Amino acid sequence: MRIQLTSVFVDDQAKALHFYTEVLGFVKKHDVPVGEKDRWLTVVSPEEPGGTELLLEPMGHPAARTYRDALTEDGIPLAQFAVDDVNAEYERLRGLGVRFTQEPLEMGPVTTAVFDDTCGNLIQIATQPQ
Amino acid sequence: MGVADDLFKALADPTRRTILDELTQKSGQTLFEICSRLSMKHRLGISRQAVSQHLAVLEAAGLVETRREGRYKFHDLNTAPLRQIAERWLATEASDPSAVSAPSDTSGPSDPCDPEESTP
């Protein structure tokens, strides 16, 4: 068994694609129309083109919004990405206008930070010892 | 329960004092960040719900204030209530050593030897 795909619910797929590619730096992998306006839209890391895909899933179910908003209020991230240097990534993203709800925080061997993906989700980035 | 009782009750718990320590280092933390600091930095095995309850006690004592900003809720430290402690026992002596007035307790008469008094 392998983890090939994981997903986040997004308010707006076009806006999400822009943020996850232009700002975060992922690349589009699949973009297939589904139904009238939805897309099967996935991105991957350029460092691992064959790696786990992230599905930018339309916010279709009303319960998804309730769940997401409650977690966001408490600052709880819905996904976590690995970076080589949280502090460098924090500076880079902040320079691009990204809003952080948690600045880089060193906790033992792990450093994390949490930002808003502009599509309704909080995302954690983390640097862990190799 | 009086203001002073809320304050001392809030300070009586080591986990709540640790939360205050962390908010002293950086004000404006989400519940998630506070939980992360307690579990990762302090190795406290404590549920998010329990942290929420501790924060409610600190908020009732006026030591923590919550602030909504957009879709997030941040917790800020408020040290103003601690001045009551300084003024009650320290300021009087500093201003006039001869005039030591007995401060009134808001809780009324209670057994000074009661060991249950400070445990929540």
Side-chain angles (χ1 to χ4, degrees):
Chain A
M1 204 177 287
R2 292 169 292 129
I3 298 175
Q4 190 182 0
L5 181 86
T6 183
S7 65
V8 289
F9 285 108
V10 297
D11 289 330
D12 179 328
Q13 284 189 299
K15 191 178 169 189
L17 182 62
H18 172 81
F19 184 84
Y20 278 82
T21 57
E22 300 302 316
V23 179
L24 295 188
F26 294 137
V27 291
K28 188 164 78 174
K29 177 103 177 194
H30 291 112
D31 189 356
V32 183
V34 180
E36 281 185 13
K37 56 181 174 60
D38 293 342
R39 298 147 77 179
W40 179 263
L41 181 62
T42 71
V43 295
V44 288
S45 167
E47 297 166 42
E48 288 179 343
T52 308
E53 292 174 56
L54 179 69
L55 176 68
L56 303 174
E57 192 166 5
M59 184 66 81
H61 198 289
R65 188 174 299 276
T66 309
Y67 158 80
R68 189 196 64 181
D69 289 352
L71 266 61
T72 298
E73 176 177 299
D74 284 337
I76 301 168
L78 283 115
Q80 172 170 300
F81 303 137
V83 295
D84 293 334
D85 182 345
V86 165
N87 289 296
E89 201 61 37
Y90 168 76
E91 292 300 338
R92 182 184 82 83
L93 292 175
R94 224 168 51 121
L96 293 170
V98 175
R99 169 81 165 87
F100 277 78
T101 60
Q102 184 202 297
E103 291 169 15
L105 176 62
E106 200 180 315
M107 296 174 291
V110 186
T111 304
T112 66
V114 180
F115 64 82
D116 189 321
D117 76 351
T118 72
C119 310
N121 306 295
L122 292 178
I123 304 292
Q124 176 165 277
I125 46 174
T127 302
Q128 295 188 336
Q130 297 299 311
Chain B
M1 196 160 67
V3 174
D5 290 315
D6 279 346
L7 181 60
F8 289 113
K9 184 191 166 203
L11 294 170
D13 183 89
T15 301
R16 288 198 285 273
R17 292 196 296 273
T18 304
I19 292 173
L20 294 178
D21 289 341
E22 290 301 321
L23 286 173
T24 304
Q25 285 194 8
K26 185 183 154 289
S27 213
Q29 294 182 33
T30 60
L31 176 62
F32 178 75
E33 179 167 359
I34 294 168
C35 290
S36 301
R37 286 169 179 254
L38 293 179
S39 63
M40 299 290 291
K41 276 178 75 177
H42 298 279
R43 302 282 164 200
L44 292 174
I46 182 169
S47 71
R48 188 172 281 136
Q49 195 184 4
V51 175
S52 265
Q53 285 167 359
H54 282 307
L55 285 167
V57 175
L58 289 167
E59 199 173 350
L63 291 166
V64 166
E65 287 175 349
T66 56
R67 163 171 53 91
R68 281 184 185 280
E69 209 178 298
R71 302 168 57 232
Y72 337 107
K73 192 166 86 177
F74 293 103
H75 300 81
D76 295 318
L77 179 70
N78 179 20
T79 55
L82 296 175
R83 282 192 212 114
Q84 293 173 10
I85 299 177
E87 282 162 12
R88 181 167 174 173
W89 285 295
L90 300 173
T92 315
E93 191 185 0
S95 60
D96 184 359
S98 64
V100 180
S101 60
S104 60
D105 228 314
T106 48
S107 60
S110 63
D111 183 2
C113 300
D114 185 1
E116 299 301 313
E117 187 71 11
S118 61
T119 32

